[in-house]
Amino acid sequence: MGVVEQYVVEGGWVVVGGGDFDWNTVLRLRQALEAATATQPLVILDAGAVTLADSTTLSLLLRTHQSTDFRIVAPPPALLPDAEGHRHRPGPGDPADRGSSTHLLTPNRGTVA
């Protein structure tokens, strides 16, 4: 199940996603992005801990991009295509499975319900 955390940064709102997001688990991410889009001039998705994003999730990201100033930061290797355009989903022990905990922003952290 996808995990969502949210916090404010100067000038915008950060939504942190983690785990798998597919048609069955994308609801919390959708709610967080829609709420942020309705109230913030800038929405940032920290995707560093996302391990899977299916077409439902990608459609959500496109709709969010069309609705507001939207940025995606820290995409993990699992979401980046290789030279042939294929996605790689690392497994345990895989060198690509380094689990990003890097935050490019200095947040005013706090989980929002």
Side-chain angles (χ1 to χ4, degrees):
M1 170 160 51
V3 176
V4 176
E5 177 185 340
Q6 304 173 61
Y7 56 87
V8 176
V9 294
E10 187 173 328
W13 191 258
V14 177
V15 175
V16 181
D20 291 357
F21 289 102
D22 61 22
W23 69 271
N24 197 34
T25 60
V26 76
L27 179 61
R28 288 190 63 213
L29 180 62
R30 188 189 82 207
Q31 291 170 333
L33 290 174
E34 287 176 353
T37 298
T39 61
Q40 300 295 321
L42 172 64
V43 177
I44 301 161
L45 173 63
D46 180 340
V50 173
T51 54
L52 174 82
D54 76 349
S55 61
T56 306
T57 308
L58 297 177
S59 293
L60 169 63
L61 300 181
L62 287 171
R63 283 192 314 273
T64 304
H65 173 69
Q66 293 168 345
S67 301
T68 192
D69 188 3
F70 181 58
R71 303 287 183 260
I72 301 173
V73 298
L79 297 182
L80 298 175
D82 63 17
E84 297 171 358
H86 299 104
R87 307 264 186 241
H88 170 71
R89 185 169 184 181
D94 188 317
D97 186 22
R98 51 186 187 272
S100 173
S101 61
T102 304
H103 290 280
L104 303 178
L105 305 166
T106 306
N108 181 7
R109 280 202 180 250
T111 302
V112 176

